């Protein structure tokens, strides 16, 4: 576990789909953490999930209108960690509809 001020800054790493055939290829995600908040761009695109940071837990959801009067949402839940060697990571899960992605970020 890390205190909030211990993991503020820029992070980058893999966003790996649970099912690449229907949820797309592996991507490189980018995250910025600061002041009790985060902004996460998981797909190198215009999707940015804003959320909150409490202790070592990050959570946020992006909701927007889709075609056919649907509401589309994508959520991220993760945890900041520091291993015995001092390596800091943010690990989590990104979920939208039937798709989910494993997220593994390190200092960028």
């Amino acid at each position: 576990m890390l205190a909030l001020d211990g993991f503020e800054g820029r992070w980058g790493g893999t966003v790996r789909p649970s099912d690449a055939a229907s949820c797309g290829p592996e991507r490189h995600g980018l995250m910025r953490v600061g002041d009790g908040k985060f902004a996460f761009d998981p797909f190198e695109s215009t999707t940015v999930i804003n959320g909150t940071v409490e202790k070592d837990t990050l959570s946020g959801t992006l909701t927007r209108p889709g075609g056919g009067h649907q509401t589309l949402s994508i959520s991220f839940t993760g945890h900041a960690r520091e291993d015995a060697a001092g390596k800091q990571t943010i690990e989590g899960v990104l979920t939208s509809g039937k798709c989910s992605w494993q997220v593994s970020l390190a200092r960028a």
Side-chain angles (χ1 to χ4, degrees):
M1 176 173 9
L2 294 170
L4 171 62
D5 60 356
F7 67 99
E8 288 185 342
R10 293 184 52 177
W11 298 80
T14 59
V15 178
R16 184 171 294 120
S18 57
D19 180 3
S22 56
C23 299
E26 181 175 304
R27 299 291 188 149
H28 184 82
L30 297 172
M31 180 181 286
R32 173 87 175 131
V33 177
D35 196 28
K37 300 175 187 173
F38 72 88
F40 181 36
D41 176 0
F43 304 124
E44 303 169 87
S45 68
T46 59
T47 300
V48 176
I49 301 166
N50 292 300
T52 59
V53 180
E54 292 186 27
K55 295 185 182 177
D56 68 340
T57 302
L58 299 89
S59 62
T61 300
L62 169 66
T63 303
R64 61 182 170 200
H69 302 289
Q70 293 181 349
T71 299
L72 305 174
S73 68
I74 186 165
S75 298
F76 175 75
T77 302
H79 295 280
R81 307 248 188 257
E82 183 172 349
D83 67 16
K87 181 181 178 187
Q88 297 177 339
T89 59
I90 294 176
E91 304 285 331
V93 176
L94 185 64
T95 307
S96 180
K98 299 183 298 182
C99 292
S100 66
W101 299 262
Q102 292 296 315
V103 177
S104 181
L105 306 174
R107 290 256 180 219

